Amino acid sequence: MDQFPPALPHGNLEEVFPDVYFVSGAMETVLHDLDWKFSRNMTVVRDGERLVVINSVRLDEAGLADLDRLGRVTDVVRLGSLHGRDDPFYVDRYDAEYWAMPGMEHESGLEATRTLAPDSLPIPNASLFE
């Protein structure tokens, strides 16, 4: 049995800019004793053969095959609180570096291996806005 939450409904990876891919997915949870369903989005940036996953959304097997055709996931970036549900899956599957802001709490128990900072980012020529 898989130790990670299952893939939830999502669309296809679509190239929205050269080497920048986007997929919309869904989230279902219970908050304050109410059932919630809302959308979430994942961005994948390709740098040569490297893939950087931002705001991960677990893909089903067909989606993972599409992702693997783009390159190899080397980095997973956590955007903020409540955005890390699927990060452990990608970090484990691809043995990827895990990036987050300094001092960020991780509900999943997964700790960042790299810290996002103006001089330390997984995407060349990127900038950090906090």
Side-chain angles (χ1 to χ4, degrees):
M1 179 179 243
D2 200 340
Q3 63 183 352
F4 304 106
L8 296 172
H10 61 78
N12 296 322
L13 274 168
E14 296 183 29
E15 189 170 23
V16 293
F17 297 107
D19 293 322
V20 178
Y21 299 82
F22 187 82
V23 62
S24 289
M27 180 62 188
E28 300 172 2
T29 191
V30 175
L31 296 171
H32 303 288
D33 295 324
L34 297 172
D35 291 328
W36 289 72
K37 293 181 182 181
F38 49 89
S39 63
R40 26 184 225 148
N41 303 302
M42 176 172 76
T43 303
V44 178
V45 177
R46 182 169 54 191
D47 178 33
E49 292 298 313
R50 295 177 54 243
L51 299 178
V52 179
V53 170
I54 304 165
N55 195 32
S56 69
V57 170
R58 183 169 176 179
L59 301 175
D60 59 21
E61 290 304 316
L64 289 169
D66 290 341
L67 181 67
D68 291 342
R69 280 190 280 281
L70 296 177
R72 183 177 180 281
V73 175
T74 58
D75 301 270
V76 176
V77 177
R78 171 93 182 264
L79 286 183
S81 182
L82 302 178
H83 284 266
R85 174 189 188 269
D86 294 320
D87 293 348
F89 171 79
Y90 285 98
V91 169
D92 182 75
R93 179 180 176 100
Y94 296 101
D95 194 29
E97 293 285 348
Y98 188 44
W99 296 76
M101 295 297 292
M104 181 176 284
E105 291 185 27
H106 303 275
E107 297 87 4
S108 68
L110 184 64
E111 292 299 323
T113 56
R114 303 291 301 266
T115 301
L116 292 167
D119 62 346
S120 176
L121 299 170
I123 301 169
N125 302 313
S127 60
L128 180 66
F129 177 79
E130 160 178 19

